[in-house]
């Protein structure tokens, strides 16, 4: 019996569900709950009664959706209007499901639900196919940093359980998500009748080689962000008497041990951990997720809202910040208005100084912003009253996520994700002098494409053409960056990230000085290109995809790069033995088989 | 020595994943510390049940070695089980709680009781009493032990749930709650209900009680008790005020309770589970959800939502 009690600790998975109103999401969830055998007798009884009264599954049939639709109005309207949380457990795992609604106007609920989830469960109607909402939901999941998305292709019964239709949709979804950071995995189901939910549900789909939806959710392990350095937002101080002075907070990332040196931000003072307790019990080490209280070896002025990190972990401190913001209030966003901003345990007054670009949800592209209203997703610049410590959300959610609260209504009006601190130069005195203001007109033309696709030739031809139009362009490519500034860098993952960062920073300085920059690099990963875009700012970045078929690149390869890569002698050649994320949202898409002259013309026309 | 240190570091780098009880405990402690830091005058509701017991235990941990920095409030309808009151007083003594017990004085004067007054009884002795006590104490935040898995309308409740100046809940105007960045800002007169156990299930509660050896009311464990059967439910005759109907005679049955409230309104279940291990096993295999034992919930599937909008917890 003891042994049984000692093993009660179970793994758990937090899921956010999303799908359009008619995709059958509630039915699917109800089926999952029923299949994991966590439905009690009286719940069955109520379900049978409610199914008879207002079920939509047909006479005498159980409507599983009724298990998850909650508030009175929703049952009457047949829709879910808010975020609801469900808990169920199978033999292998505990599940926490945030059920978020599928209406266009409820982006804010989906963002709310996704903010506390490990994986996404997205429904697609097998007959209707990929909808605008499917694209939008994927976009939001990606933006929220969800790395794993399970796609339930539902209503397979309506397409005669066709394997071909399933594969067609999977192909479309893969194309759709190619430029995103998240990974997708598709499962065929017919929730109404239980097909594909549990292991016994494949009588109609013998062709499916994978496991059931429930089994997949049981074994899925979302890749935790590779955060090894502990950090903690200080919640408060416990001081029962003069002998004990413990700072409290919930640990994020890695571990914290007695003897570790820590740094306090934004003051940047250091100290050593003298004691740690978890839930009142003394420990030598605490781990990510633990709520701790710790003492330090010296007296520092630390209070609620400070950030504590293990020494060595670099965080940024800034007062002008760039962020992606989801607007959640009926009242439109007002540039120049003061809001209360909560970042970790820190409250600070903040002003949105500029709305850069707002997401066009039809095209899934950011367009110049005019008015920003409920459910809009927008890139903004924020000024905080005092400097704040943070890390980019993409790097570390807990150090980059914030909410905005209106100072009058006290409503939560926005949820945001910090991306970078903006250059301080516009805050220095004389900021209004024209010559000190970074140029807004110069652009960074970022050419991406396979090795030997013709990027450098295009870059040089473009530079010549721009000069003849009175511009002052400069080309950054392999020869002047890899052989100069970045000659200390190799091709490991870490070096590639640093390489990309330096190129973007150099380009940014040149843009500020008014020089148009043409960068020609393979830059195989969507996230690298996006990071460059973030560095210089959306409005100054133009991604050009030089789309040259791999066969042609091989023919042009006089140095034998491709052949050596195939033989395993070269470790990293995108397109051959390493991935290349094909851009799906490039600003300009060029056919690499056309003549250089024609390509240059197309670019100039777009600019 | 060096070796063991490096092994330890290696383990840390790999990252130790917390088990679900550890995660739940850590989250609840974070929430309790948030409300302690952000509210001016917080109060913790104490209903003496198993969830309350866990909540108090977590609060003791969250502020150790200091004391629980909240006033603790029990709304006493006058119809609680005797054993609940005994545990309440024992616990207040042990944890040195700042305990306040409140009963609606008009309800008491009018002898409002569960036999004569039905749902009016709940309104006056629970919902009204709660509002009176909160107003009287000037509390801007009230911490409760409700869980989202208890009931459908609770499943939509925020962890920090905003209430108007007259304590009403508006399910359609809830503040979005992103990450763990709770919006604690309120105007004078308004208040927040805080639910640190939102993400716990009934099974989690029992597993945690077993793991931490938390003392709970003995009524949760099976014993011979005098009961009558009404509309298929077993009601315990806890004192002489119980009104027997014609032909009713209390009989001794081995029963226990999954949830505790006012004794005439709380149904027992037949069970042999007399200790924590058996209760845990029974809960794991259970085919009945716990609020089935609460008579006031079942008149209408959405009766809980109505009560919540009116100010009930």
């Amino acid at each position: 019996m003891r042994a049984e009690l000692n093993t009660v600790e179970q793994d758990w998975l937090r899921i956010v569900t999303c799908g359009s109103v008619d995709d059958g999401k509630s039915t699917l969830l109800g089926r999952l709950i029923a299949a994991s055998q966590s439905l009690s007798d009286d719940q069955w009884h109520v379900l049978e009664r409610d199914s008879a009264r207002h079920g939509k599954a047909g006479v005498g049939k159980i409507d599983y959706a009724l298990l998850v639709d909650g508030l009175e109005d929703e049952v009457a309207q047949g829709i879910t209007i808010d975020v609801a949380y469900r808990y169920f457990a199978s033999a292998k795992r505990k599940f926490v499901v945030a059920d978020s609604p599928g209406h266009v106007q409820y982006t804010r609920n989906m963002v709310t639900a996704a903010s506390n989830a490990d994986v996404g469960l997205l429904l697609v109607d097998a007959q209707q196919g990929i909808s605008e909402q499917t694209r939008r939901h994927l976009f939001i999941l990606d933006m929220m940093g969800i790395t794993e998305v399970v796609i339930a292709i539902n209503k397979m019964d309506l397409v005669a359980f066709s394997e071909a239709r399933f594969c067609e949709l999977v192909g479309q979804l893969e194309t759709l998500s190619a430029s995103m950071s998240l990974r997708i995995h598709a499962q065929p189901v017919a929730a109404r009748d239980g097909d594909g939910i549990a292991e016994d549900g494949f009588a109609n789909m013998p062709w499916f080689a994978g496991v059931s939806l429930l089994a997949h959710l049981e074994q899925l392990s979302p890749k935790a962000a590779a955060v090894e350095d502990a950090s903690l937002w200080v919640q408060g101080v416990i001081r029962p008497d003069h002998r004990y002075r413990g700072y409290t907070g919930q640990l994020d990332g890695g571990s914290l041990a007695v003897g570790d040196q820590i740094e306090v931000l934004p003051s940047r003072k250091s100290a050593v951990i003298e004691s740690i307790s978890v839930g009142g019990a003394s420990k030598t080490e605490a781990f990510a997720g633990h709520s701790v209280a710790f003492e330090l070896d010296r007296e520092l002025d630390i209070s609620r809202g400070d950030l504590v990190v293990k020494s060595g972990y670099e965080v940024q401190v800034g007062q002008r910040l760039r962020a992606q913001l989801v607007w959640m209030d009926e009242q439109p966003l007002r540039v120049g208005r003061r809001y209360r901003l909560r970042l970790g345990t820190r409250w600070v007054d903040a002003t949105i100084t500029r709305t850069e670009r707002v997401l066009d949800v039809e095209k899934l592209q950011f367009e110049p912003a005019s008015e920003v209203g409920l459910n809009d997703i927008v890139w903004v610049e924020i000024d905080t009253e005092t400097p704040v410590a943070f890390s980019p959300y993409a790097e570390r959610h807990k150090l980059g996520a914030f909410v905005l609260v209106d100072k009058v209504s006290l409503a939560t009006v926005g949820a945001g994700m910090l991306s970078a601190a903006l250059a301080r130069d516009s805050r220095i005195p004389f900021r209004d002098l024209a010559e000190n203001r970074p140029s807004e007109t110069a652009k960074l033309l970022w050419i991406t494409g396979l090795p030997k696709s013709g990027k450098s030739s295009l870059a040089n031809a473009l530079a010549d053409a721009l000069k003849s139009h009175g511009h002052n362009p400069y080309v950054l490519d392999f020869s002047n960056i890899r052989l100069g500034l970045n000659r200390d860098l190799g091709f490991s993952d870490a070096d590639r990230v640093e390489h990309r960062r330096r190129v973007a920073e150099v380009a940014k300085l040149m843009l500020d000085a008014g020089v148009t920059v043409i960068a020609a690099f393979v830059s195989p990963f969507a996230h690298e290109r996006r990071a460059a875009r973030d560095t210089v700012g959306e409005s100054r970045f133009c991604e050009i995809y030089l789309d040259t078929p791999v066969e042609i690149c091989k023919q042009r390869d006089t140095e034998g790069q491709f052949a050596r890569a195939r033989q395993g002698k070269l470790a990293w050649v995108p397109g051959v033995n390493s991935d290349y994320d094909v851009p799906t949202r490039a600003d300009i898409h060029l056919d690499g088989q056309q003549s250089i002259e024609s390509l240059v013309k197309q670019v100039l026309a777009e600019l | 020595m060096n070796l063991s240190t490096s092994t330890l570091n290696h383990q840390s780098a790999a990252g130790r994943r917390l088990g679900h009880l550890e995660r739940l405990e850590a989250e609840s402690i974070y929430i309790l510390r948030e409300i302690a830091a952000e509210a001016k005058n917080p109060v913790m509701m104490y209903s003496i049940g198993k969830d309350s017991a866990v909540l108090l235990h977590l609060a003791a941990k969250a502020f150790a070695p200091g004391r629980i920095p909240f006033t603790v409030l029990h709304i006493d309808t006058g119809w609680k089980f005797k054993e609940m009151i005994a545990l309440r007083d024992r616990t207040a003594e042990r944890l040195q709680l700042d305990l306040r017990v409140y009963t609606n004085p008009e309800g008491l004067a009018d002898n409002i009781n569960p036999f004569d007054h039905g749902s009016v009884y709940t309104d006056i002795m629970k919902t009204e009493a709660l509002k009176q006590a909160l107003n009287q104490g000037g509390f801007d935040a009230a911490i409760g032990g409700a869980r989202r898995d208890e009931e459908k309308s609770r499943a939509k409740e925020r962890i920090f749930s905003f209430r108007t100046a007259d304590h009403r809940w508006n399910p359609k105007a809830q503040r979005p709650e992103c990450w763990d960045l709770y919006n604690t800002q309120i105007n004078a007169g308004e208040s927040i209900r805080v639910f640190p156990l939102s993400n716990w299930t009934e099974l989690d509660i029992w597993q945690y009680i077993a793991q931490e050896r938390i003392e709970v009311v003995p009524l949760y464990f099976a014993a011979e008790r005098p009961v009558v059967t009404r509309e298929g439910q077993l009601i315990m005759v806890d004192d002489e005020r119980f009104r027997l109907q014609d032909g009713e005679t209390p009989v001794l049955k081995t029963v226990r309770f999954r949830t505790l409230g006012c004794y005439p309104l709380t149904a027992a279940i037949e069970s042999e589970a007399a200790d924590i291990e058996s209760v845990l096993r029974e809960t794991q295999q259970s085919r009945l959800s716990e609020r089935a034992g609460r008579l006031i919930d079942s008149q209408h599937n959405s009766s809980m939502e109505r009560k919540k909008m009116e100010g009930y917890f």
Side-chain angles (χ1 to χ4, degrees):
Chain A
M1 184 47 65
R2 257 311 124 213
E4 190 185 310
L5 287 183
N6 287 342
T7 56
V8 296
E9 285 279 337
Q10 254 186 319
D11 187 29
W12 76 353
L13 188 73
R14 299 177 308 170
I15 302 171
V16 50
T17 60
C18 33
S20 302
V21 184
D22 301 322
D23 290 342
K25 185 174 46 159
S26 296
T27 306
L28 181 86
L29 263 184
R31 275 284 179 186
L32 278 173
I33 292 172
S36 67
Q37 295 177 329
S38 39
L39 214 56
S40 65
D41 278 346
D42 62 326
Q43 284 172 323
W44 262 116
H45 179 73
V46 172
L47 179 60
E48 279 170 355
R49 192 194 64 198
D50 288 356
S51 294
R53 200 180 296 165
H54 31 229
K56 301 209 168 40
V59 178
K61 283 196 164 179
I62 297 291
D63 185 352
Y64 285 85
L66 295 173
L67 277 176
V68 290
D69 284 337
L71 299 182
E72 258 178 301
D73 289 355
E74 297 164 54
V75 175
Q77 288 168 29
I79 50 168
T80 307
I81 56 164
D82 201 355
V83 184
Y85 294 87
R86 298 290 155 192
Y87 305 82
F88 64 99
S90 70
K92 299 205 174 112
R93 195 173 232 178
K94 280 182 68 76
F95 296 97
V96 179
V97 178
D99 184 18
S100 89
H103 307 51
V104 183
Q105 65 270 41
Y106 287 117
T107 300
R108 79 170 202 181
N109 290 337
M110 185 178 156
V111 167
T112 304
S115 73
N116 284 314
D118 307 309
V119 304
L121 175 59
L122 195 155
L123 270 86
V124 169
D125 184 315
Q127 197 174 37
Q128 304 289 325
I130 316 289
S131 66
E132 229 170 63
Q133 290 212 40
T134 310
R135 301 170 60 218
R136 202 168 304 158
H137 289 149
L138 267 179
F139 182 92
I140 292 174
L141 291 174
D142 194 42
M143 175 183 81
M144 298 298 291
I146 302 276
T147 56
E148 301 278 342
V149 177
V150 179
I151 298 180
I153 298 189
N154 193 21
K155 306 192 185 176
M156 285 297 292
D157 52 325
L158 298 184
V159 295
F161 299 100
S162 157
E163 180 179 11
R165 177 60 176 160
F166 177 73
C167 293
E168 182 193 350
L169 290 172
V170 171
Q172 290 174 11
L173 286 161
E174 277 170 356
T175 309
L176 193 58
S177 61
S179 61
M180 301 180 178
S181 305
L182 49 75
R183 282 204 312 218
I184 59 163
H185 169 91
Q187 291 278 149
V189 291
R192 205 189 56 185
D193 301 315
D195 292 274
I197 303 289
E199 288 311 303
D200 58 2
F202 288 93
N204 294 315
M205 296 181 288
W207 47 265
F208 186 65
V211 297
S212 68
L213 178 61
L214 181 60
H216 181 73
L217 291 174
E218 281 178 333
Q219 69 194 29
L220 184 65
S221 64
K223 195 175 57 190
V227 175
E228 291 177 9
D229 300 289
S231 74
L232 170 155
W233 288 102
V234 175
Q235 287 189 277
V237 187
I238 298 175
R239 206 164 31 165
D241 52 48
H242 65 279
R243 282 165 311 191
Y244 185 88
R245 184 191 182 91
Y247 302 101
T248 60
Q250 191 171 14
L251 211 56
D252 177 50
S255 70
L256 200 60
V258 172
D260 281 347
Q261 183 169 325
I262 56 98
E263 190 183 4
V264 183
L265 293 140
S267 70
R268 294 204 184 274
K269 299 246 170 58
S270 293
V272 172
I273 302 276
E274 203 163 67
S275 83
I276 295 183
S277 76
V278 176
S282 183
K283 304 276 179 197
T284 53
E285 188 174 26
F287 297 90
H290 276 139
S291 278
V292 302
F294 61 92
E295 291 176 287
L296 297 174
D297 67 335
R298 70 201 77 168
E299 283 223 353
L300 289 184
D301 183 20
I302 300 180
S303 54
R304 177 172 170 81
D306 283 343
L307 178 64
V308 168
V309 299
K310 207 158 159 172
S311 288
Y313 179 67
E314 283 293 323
V315 301
Q316 301 185 37
V317 176
Q319 207 168 346
R320 286 193 66 216
L321 311 168
R322 187 158 185 273
Q324 211 166 358
L325 181 68
V326 182
W327 195 250
M328 299 183 153
D329 201 44
E330 306 278 350
Q331 299 297 319
L333 179 156
R334 278 169 54 194
V335 170
R337 183 184 175 91
R338 253 135 106 73
Y339 295 97
R340 298 277 282 153
L341 182 150
R342 179 177 177 160
L343 170 65
T345 55
R346 176 86 188 269
W347 285 101
V348 62
D349 275 12
T351 308
I352 293 166
T353 52
R354 193 160 88 93
T355 52
E356 285 177 14
R357 294 201 154 203
V358 64
L359 184 74
D360 180 323
V361 291
E362 315 289 314
K363 290 188 262 180
L364 288 184
Q365 278 173 8
F366 283 90
E367 307 282 349
S370 49
E371 188 173 273
V372 175
L374 181 62
N375 292 312
D376 276 340
I377 296 172
V378 61
W379 277 103
V380 294
E381 287 178 17
I382 300 175
D383 268 21
T384 55
E385 197 171 54
T386 50
V388 294
F390 74 98
S391 287
Y393 180 81
E395 194 176 298
R396 203 153 178 168
H397 293 192
K398 291 252 179 193
L399 303 197
F402 67 92
V403 294
L404 282 182
V405 172
D406 188 273
K407 294 187 79 165
V408 177
S409 73
L410 301 183
T412 307
V413 294
M417 291 148 281
L418 294 173
S419 88
L422 292 162
R424 298 194 61 83
D425 51 5
S426 57
R427 283 187 85 82
I428 58 175
F430 315 116
R431 58 188 287 183
D432 293 323
L433 294 182
E435 49 268 55
N436 274 346
R437 202 185 290 154
S439 163
E440 295 285 344
T441 53
K443 274 200 173 354
L444 169 58
L445 309 180
W446 187 281
I447 307 176
T448 173
L450 292 173
K452 301 295 165 193
S453 56
K455 295 180 298 296
S456 286
S457 312
L458 174 62
N460 289 320
L462 257 179
D464 288 341
L466 284 168
K467 271 181 207 156
S468 67
H469 283 80
H471 291 277
N472 181 25
Y474 191 80
V475 176
L476 296 177
D477 67 2
F478 188 90
S479 57
N480 59 10
I481 292 289
R482 274 287 183 190
L483 304 180
L485 174 66
N486 288 358
R487 72 174 168 221
D488 58 327
L489 299 177
F491 292 91
S492 67
D493 285 356
D495 280 3
R496 279 211 317 269
V497 169
E498 176 59 14
H499 166 68
R500 193 271 312 144
R501 189 189 71 80
R502 287 187 199 171
V503 171
E505 291 292 351
V506 166
K508 186 174 170 219
L509 293 176
M510 298 177 86
L511 292 185
D512 288 354
V515 178
T516 287
V517 180
I518 306 166
F521 296 96
V522 180
S523 42
F525 296 115
H527 64 84
E528 289 182 285
R529 302 191 290 260
R530 193 183 310 167
R533 187 185 286 265
D534 288 351
T535 303
V536 302
E538 183 77 29
S539 61
R540 301 198 292 184
F541 189 89
C542 175
E543 185 177 293
I544 301 173
Y545 173 36
L546 186 53
D547 187 357
T548 310
V550 68
E551 288 72 22
I552 299 201
C553 297
K554 279 180 203 163
Q555 285 164 23
R556 293 177 185 167
D557 181 21
T558 50
E559 298 136 356
Q561 236 187 65
F562 284 77
R564 279 184 292 149
R566 268 196 309 278
Q567 291 155 17
K569 290 180 188 160
L570 256 186
W572 188 77
V573 177
V576 181
N577 57 358
S578 162
D579 288 341
Y580 177 82
D581 295 343
V582 174
T584 53
R585 294 204 295 265
D587 300 294
I588 303 176
H589 186 149
L590 297 176
D591 176 1
Q593 297 184 75
Q594 295 180 8
S595 71
I596 288 268
E597 292 75 11
S598 151
L599 297 179
V600 169
K601 243 184 235 155
Q602 288 172 52
V603 175
L604 292 181
E606 290 283 339
L607 294 176
Chain B
M1 190 62 216
N2 276 339
L3 185 68
S4 70
T5 311
S6 77
T7 314
L8 201 65
N9 285 339
H10 178 71
Q11 278 177 351
S12 330
R16 176 157 98 67
R17 264 177 84 86
L18 305 190
H20 80 283
L21 290 180
E22 257 183 312
R23 283 179 72 154
L24 288 168
E25 178 188 89
E27 178 184 71
S28 300
I29 289 177
Y30 170 81
I31 294 163
L32 287 164
R33 286 170 173 172
E34 279 303 290
I35 203 64
E38 297 265 311
K40 288 191 194 75
N41 186 17
V43 64
M44 179 179 269
M45 306 305 300
Y46 182 45
S47 73
I48 327 170
K50 60 186 189 306
D51 305 308
S52 271
V54 166
L55 197 54
L56 266 184
H57 184 80
L58 289 164
K61 282 190 166 200
F63 304 101
R67 283 176 48 205
I68 296 174
F70 309 121
T71 298
V72 175
L73 174 66
H74 177 226
I75 302 296
D76 195 349
T77 57
W79 293 89
K80 300 293 172 187
F81 291 91
K82 286 184 298 238
E83 287 181 83
M84 294 173 72
I85 302 303
L87 177 67
R88 179 191 73 191
D89 296 341
R90 219 163 42 239
T91 307
E93 179 77 27
R94 179 171 59 85
L95 292 174
Q96 297 185 304
L97 299 179
D98 169 20
L99 175 71
R100 291 189 206 173
V101 177
Y102 185 87
T103 306
N104 183 347
E106 294 120 57
L108 201 61
D110 295 347
N111 188 27
I112 300 296
N113 66 76
F115 297 104
D116 297 321
H117 302 101
S119 66
V120 174
Y121 162 77
T122 308
D123 288 345
I124 293 177
M125 298 311 280
K126 294 176 96 171
T127 309
E128 261 315 299
L130 175 66
K131 291 193 219 172
Q132 288 171 358
L134 291 179
N135 288 341
Q136 213 176 71
F139 302 113
D140 58 344
I143 306 161
R147 292 176 281 111
R148 285 174 178 156
D149 89 317
E150 279 177 68
E151 196 270 339
K152 276 181 183 178
S153 72
R154 294 231 199 259
K156 317 204 158 215
E157 179 80 272
R158 302 294 188 256
I159 291 175
F160 280 65
S161 187
F162 177 81
R163 292 293 190 278
T164 59
D166 53 356
H167 304 285
R168 293 181 76 88
W169 181 58
N170 182 353
K172 289 201 172 169
Q174 296 198 83
R175 293 171 171 180
E177 198 159 76
C178 297
W179 300 286
D180 54 4
L181 304 176
Y182 306 118
N183 178 358
T184 50
Q185 313 272 311
I186 51 170
N187 284 311
E190 297 166 346
S191 63
I192 293 182
R193 304 273 170 98
V194 188
F195 304 104
L197 302 181
S198 287
N199 287 320
W200 295 60
T201 64
E202 186 189 14
L203 183 58
D204 299 329
I205 292 286
W206 281 117
Q207 287 175 336
Y208 191 71
I209 287 171
Q211 177 186 292
E212 304 284 309
R213 296 162 196 276
I214 300 169
E215 185 184 9
V216 292
V217 185
L219 293 163
Y220 285 116
F221 304 115
E224 279 205 337
R225 298 186 171 103
V227 295
V228 296
T229 306
R230 282 189 183 169
E231 291 167 29
Q233 309 251 34
L234 295 171
I235 307 298
M236 178 173 161
V237 182
D238 195 45
D239 59 37
E240 69 295 338
R241 293 178 297 170
F242 193 90
R243 287 193 212 154
L244 293 169
Q245 289 165 5
D246 284 347
E248 256 181 2
T249 320
V251 288
L252 281 179
K253 279 195 173 160
T254 304
V255 297
R256 69 178 189 89
F257 293 84
R258 287 183 68 181
T259 177
L260 293 174
C262 300
Y263 84 81
L265 297 176
T266 309
I269 54 166
E270 287 194 78
S271 165
E272 298 289 331
D275 56 24
I276 183 76
E277 279 81 12
S278 326
V279 167
L280 197 48
R281 210 175 318 123
E282 203 175 86
T283 307
Q284 246 154 346
Q285 294 158 0
S286 172
R287 306 285 292 157
L288 260 183
S289 71
E290 63 190 309
R291 289 201 82 89
R294 294 277 181 111
L295 304 184
I296 51 169
D297 293 351
S298 53
Q299 302 136 348
H300 199 289
N301 197 2
S302 40
S303 59
M304 176 64 89
E305 187 186 336
R306 291 236 175 87
K307 280 186 296 177
K308 280 171 65 66
M309 287 167 73
E310 286 156 12
Y312 186 75
F313 243 83

